[in-house]
Amino acid sequence: VDALIDQSTSLITPSPALHNAPQLALAEKLVQLSGLSQVHFSNSGSEANEVAIKLARKWGQTHRPGADVIVTTHNSFHGRTLATMAAGGKAGWDKMFPPAVPGFRKVPFNDIAAMRDAIDDQTLAIMVEPIQGEAGVIVPSADYLSQLRQLANEQDVLLILDEIQTGVGRTGQFFAFEHSAVKPDIVTLGKGLGGGVPISATIAAEHVCCFEHGDQGGTYNGNPLMTAVALAVVNEVARPAFLQAVSDAGDKLQATLQELASQIELKQVRGAGLLWAIELDRPIASALQSQAMDTGLLVNAPRPATIRLMPALNVSTGEIDEAAQLLSVAAQRL
Ligand code: PLP
């Protein structure tokens, strides 16, 4: 809030043709945290993924001539623009606003053999979420990302990670990929990056940075009002003590949900950090969501039998207990 107020009194949006100080400081911080090289700012997660797709396609034009396919995964979510809907794996989404943007092939998530089979001369990149969020918090096996990295290296294709939901501390590391000790070629951030204001980022390794002036941009991209806020957010969230507190709160949330699961016979609890899902034994998630709202707890229902919880990263243990209590009341009412 202080950053928003301070910046709003000095400079809000100059032309995007000009750099500005908070933008440069934020880019530098994200480069340092990711170990990658350059950053492009946009206004939404979808837009950051569009940038990633355009960048990969441009890289492919010179590095893999003739290749124009990005392999993505079933049930993935990458946004609501035409290209990101085509990239996403939500059933039926590629048929909603025909013609769909071509250039995407889909394989099951967490299936390295299927990914290997899908890569050929036409392929230029693999694009996945480290944990599938909208699919209902689907956590892959611990070595999935490192196997994808190895595969991408062997086949000379790019690894693009969509960390719009998992990034900015959500899983207890600044980037979820840090749990696997791999580095992507391109990673996207959104959502928590601005702590509530619209900003997203596409971060890329030096060897992929082939955009020329004019290839990508937009009136509000990297404006100082949003970048000043995001810089304040990142400076706070990236502190080791803050990330440790997210992990600790995540452990507490996991234990609390597991206890709840044993009380009210939920099928499964899964997640990481502060991104959790409860799998119910029947497709009653939206009914439970409304009951929870009536009792004073906001959750969401990404699937008919799945409830997702994504509390604020600074949630307290008392609030976690209170949430479990409200969820238990909602489940009993149902
Ligand atoms: N990618 C992932 C993994 C997401 O979870 C989302 C939003 O839910 C997006 C992309 C799209 O972001 P936005 O809604 O900001 O366009």
Side-chain angles (χ1 to χ4, degrees):
V1 169
D2 288 346
L4 188 62
I5 291 169
D6 287 351
Q7 189 61 40
S8 72
T9 60
S10 58
L11 182 65
I12 295 178
T13 298
S15 158
L18 303 171
H19 295 300
N20 63 75
Q23 177 190 51
L24 293 174
L26 178 62
E28 200 159 334
K29 183 79 185 171
L30 292 176
V31 161
Q32 177 216 322
L33 290 168
S34 62
L36 301 177
S37 183
Q38 295 190 33
V39 185
H40 183 279
F41 294 112
S42 318
N43 311 300
S44 69
S46 304
E47 208 185 333
N49 283 338
E50 285 275 339
V51 174
I53 293 164
K54 284 174 71 172
L55 187 61
R57 286 184 174 188
K58 178 135 194 203
W59 173 87
Q61 285 167 16
T62 46
H63 290 83
R64 288 178 70 84
D68 58 9
V69 172
I70 298 178
V71 187
T72 64
T73 56
H74 294 314
N75 299 318
S76 59
F77 186 79
H78 298 298
R80 290 170 188 276
T81 59
L82 286 173
T84 54
M85 283 185 79
K90 272 194 155 183
W93 266 38
D94 47 352
K95 311 232 159 30
M96 279 167 76
F97 303 100
V101 175
F104 299 98
R105 187 178 293 157
K106 279 153 210 155
V107 298
F109 186 62
N110 198 22
D111 185 338
I112 199 77
M115 186 62 84
R116 183 173 289 110
D117 288 348
I119 295 178
D120 58 19
D121 291 351
Q122 296 297 303
T123 313
L124 59 96
I126 295 167
M127 179 172 179
V128 298
E129 299 159 82
I131 294 173
Q132 285 189 329
E134 299 302 300
V137 191
I138 310 298
V139 185
S141 48
D143 61 354
Y144 183 55
L145 285 193
S146 56
Q147 289 193 301
L148 288 181
R149 178 67 276 175
Q150 202 182 334
L151 185 58
N153 290 350
E154 284 163 15
Q155 303 287 335
D156 192 26
V157 299
L158 301 178
L159 178 62
I160 305 172
L161 294 182
D162 176 346
E163 291 236 23
I164 284 155
Q165 192 153 146
T166 55
V168 197
R170 178 54 57 187
T171 69
Q173 295 281 0
F174 191 82
F175 293 96
F177 69 69
E178 292 173 76
H179 295 287
S180 313
V182 300
K183 241 198 277 177
D185 299 296
I186 305 176
V187 62
T188 53
L189 294 177
K191 292 195 189 288
L193 180 60
V197 303
I199 180 167
S200 60
T202 309
I203 313 170
E206 191 60 34
H207 66 105
V208 200
C209 294
C210 54
F211 272 162
E212 286 160 86
H213 191 73
D215 282 348
Q216 182 61 23
T219 304
Y220 296 112
N221 286 180
N223 71 76
L225 188 62
M226 298 306 133
T227 51
V229 175
L231 181 62
V233 170
V234 171
N235 279 338
E236 175 66 6
V237 171
R239 285 192 304 110
F242 187 96
L243 291 169
Q244 186 57 50
V246 172
S247 291
D248 294 345
D251 290 346
K252 158 82 180 163
L253 182 60
Q254 176 180 17
T256 308
L257 291 177
Q258 265 157 356
E259 169 136 7
L260 197 64
S262 61
Q263 269 173 37
I264 56 178
E265 291 172 32
L266 306 171
K267 234 164 89 183
Q268 192 200 20
V269 168
R270 56 173 183 259
L274 283 171
L275 175 58
W276 284 89
I278 296 169
E279 195 65 30
L280 306 162
D281 59 2
R282 282 170 294 149
I284 50 163
S286 57
L288 182 56
Q289 176 188 14
S290 0
Q291 282 290 350
M293 191 190 267
D294 286 348
T295 66
L297 177 72
L298 294 177
V299 294
N300 86 335
R303 296 270 143 165
T306 312
I307 289 285
R308 180 178 45 178
L309 293 103
M310 293 177 75
L313 296 186
N314 58 356
V315 67
S316 68
T317 47
E319 286 165 335
I320 291 173
D321 285 333
E322 191 184 342
Q325 167 67 23
L326 293 173
L327 201 54
S328 167
V329 170
Q332 279 157 25
R333 282 190 193 160
L334 202 67

Short mmCIF file of all heavy atoms in Angstrom, two decimals, residues 44-47 49 77-79 129 134 162 164-165 191, ligand 1:
data_model
loop_
_atom_site.label_atom_id
_atom_site.label_comp_id
_atom_site.label_asym_id
_atom_site.label_seq_id
_atom_site.Cartn_x
_atom_site.Cartn_y
_atom_site.Cartn_z
N SER A 44 -1.44 -9.39 -17.31
CA SER A 44 -2.19 -10.55 -16.81
C SER A 44 -1.39 -11.81 -17.09
O SER A 44 -0.46 -11.80 -17.91
CB SER A 44 -3.54 -10.66 -17.52
OG SER A 44 -3.33 -11.03 -18.87
N GLY A 45 -1.79 -12.89 -16.42
CA GLY A 45 -1.12 -14.16 -16.62
C GLY A 45 -1.25 -14.63 -18.07
O GLY A 45 -0.28 -15.10 -18.67
N SER A 46 -2.44 -14.48 -18.63
CA SER A 46 -2.65 -14.91 -20.02
C SER A 46 -1.66 -14.21 -20.94
O SER A 46 -1.06 -14.82 -21.83
CB SER A 46 -4.06 -14.56 -20.48
OG SER A 46 -5.01 -15.12 -19.62
N GLU A 47 -1.52 -12.90 -20.71
CA GLU A 47 -0.64 -12.11 -21.58
C GLU A 47 0.83 -12.56 -21.42
O GLU A 47 1.57 -12.64 -22.40
CB GLU A 47 -0.80 -10.64 -21.21
CG GLU A 47 -0.56 -9.67 -22.32
CD GLU A 47 -0.62 -8.22 -21.84
OE1 GLU A 47 -1.32 -7.93 -20.83
OE2 GLU A 47 0.05 -7.39 -22.44
N ASN A 49 1.83 -15.50 -20.75
CA ASN A 49 1.98 -16.76 -21.50
C ASN A 49 1.98 -16.52 -23.00
O ASN A 49 2.68 -17.22 -23.75
CB ASN A 49 0.87 -17.74 -21.11
CG ASN A 49 1.14 -18.39 -19.76
OD1 ASN A 49 2.29 -18.43 -19.31
ND2 ASN A 49 0.11 -18.89 -19.11
N PHE A 77 -4.07 -25.26 -17.54
CA PHE A 77 -4.72 -23.96 -17.74
C PHE A 77 -3.64 -22.92 -17.95
O PHE A 77 -2.73 -22.77 -17.13
CB PHE A 77 -5.58 -23.58 -16.52
CG PHE A 77 -6.36 -22.32 -16.75
CD1 PHE A 77 -7.52 -22.33 -17.50
CD2 PHE A 77 -5.93 -21.10 -16.24
CE1 PHE A 77 -8.24 -21.16 -17.75
CE2 PHE A 77 -6.63 -19.93 -16.47
CZ PHE A 77 -7.80 -19.96 -17.23
N HIS A 78 -3.73 -22.20 -19.07
CA HIS A 78 -2.72 -21.18 -19.36
C HIS A 78 -3.34 -19.81 -19.65
O HIS A 78 -2.61 -18.89 -19.98
CB HIS A 78 -1.84 -21.63 -20.52
CG HIS A 78 -1.07 -22.89 -20.22
ND1 HIS A 78 -0.14 -22.97 -19.20
CD2 HIS A 78 -1.12 -24.14 -20.78
CE1 HIS A 78 0.37 -24.20 -19.15
NE2 HIS A 78 -0.21 -24.93 -20.09
N GLY A 79 -4.68 -19.68 -19.56
CA GLY A 79 -5.28 -18.38 -19.75
C GLY A 79 -6.46 -18.41 -20.70
O GLY A 79 -6.88 -19.48 -21.16
N GLU A 129 2.57 -26.48 -16.19
CA GLU A 129 2.53 -25.89 -14.85
C GLU A 129 3.27 -26.86 -13.93
O GLU A 129 3.04 -28.07 -14.02
CB GLU A 129 1.09 -25.79 -14.35
CG GLU A 129 0.15 -24.92 -15.16
CD GLU A 129 -1.30 -25.29 -14.89
OE1 GLU A 129 -1.87 -24.82 -13.89
OE2 GLU A 129 -1.89 -26.04 -15.69
N GLU A 134 -5.70 -25.11 -11.85
CA GLU A 134 -7.13 -25.13 -12.17
C GLU A 134 -7.65 -26.56 -12.34
O GLU A 134 -8.84 -26.82 -12.21
CB GLU A 134 -7.42 -24.32 -13.45
CG GLU A 134 -7.05 -22.86 -13.35
CD GLU A 134 -7.76 -22.14 -12.22
OE1 GLU A 134 -9.01 -22.10 -12.22
OE2 GLU A 134 -7.06 -21.65 -11.32
N ASP A 162 4.81 -22.46 -16.59
CA ASP A 162 3.78 -21.49 -16.23
C ASP A 162 3.66 -21.50 -14.71
O ASP A 162 3.07 -22.42 -14.14
CB ASP A 162 2.46 -21.88 -16.92
CG ASP A 162 1.30 -20.97 -16.51
OD1 ASP A 162 1.43 -20.23 -15.53
OD2 ASP A 162 0.25 -21.04 -17.19
N ILE A 164 2.28 -19.05 -12.96
CA ILE A 164 1.35 -17.97 -12.62
C ILE A 164 0.60 -18.30 -11.33
O ILE A 164 0.34 -17.42 -10.52
CB ILE A 164 0.42 -17.70 -13.83
CG1 ILE A 164 1.24 -16.92 -14.86
CG2 ILE A 164 -0.84 -16.95 -13.43
CD1 ILE A 164 0.80 -17.05 -16.26
N GLN A 165 0.32 -19.56 -11.12
CA GLN A 165 -0.35 -19.95 -9.86
C GLN A 165 0.65 -20.42 -8.80
O GLN A 165 0.45 -20.18 -7.61
CB GLN A 165 -1.37 -21.07 -10.15
CG GLN A 165 -2.29 -21.31 -9.00
CD GLN A 165 -3.65 -21.87 -9.39
OE1 GLN A 165 -4.20 -22.64 -8.63
NE2 GLN A 165 -4.21 -21.49 -10.51
N LYS A 191 -0.64 -13.33 -11.02
CA LYS A 191 -1.37 -13.40 -9.75
C LYS A 191 -0.66 -12.68 -8.60
O LYS A 191 -0.71 -11.47 -8.50
CB LYS A 191 -1.65 -14.86 -9.39
CG LYS A 191 -2.64 -15.52 -10.34
CD LYS A 191 -3.17 -16.81 -9.78
CE LYS A 191 -3.99 -17.58 -10.79
NZ LYS A 191 -5.31 -16.99 -11.06
N1 PLP B 1 -1.83 -19.80 -15.97
C1 PLP B 1 -2.21 -20.35 -14.82
C2 PLP B 1 -1.48 -21.55 -14.31
C3 PLP B 1 -3.29 -19.82 -14.09
O1 PLP B 1 -3.68 -20.40 -12.95
C4 PLP B 1 -3.95 -18.67 -14.61
C5 PLP B 1 -5.12 -18.10 -13.89
O2 PLP B 1 -5.82 -18.77 -13.17
C6 PLP B 1 -3.50 -18.11 -15.80
C7 PLP B 1 -2.45 -18.69 -16.46
C8 PLP B 1 -4.17 -16.91 -16.39
O3 PLP B 1 -3.92 -15.77 -15.65
P1 PLP B 1 -4.85 -14.47 -15.79
O4 PLP B 1 -6.20 -14.85 -15.27
O5 PLP B 1 -4.18 -13.43 -14.98
O6 PLP B 1 -4.88 -14.12 -17.26
#
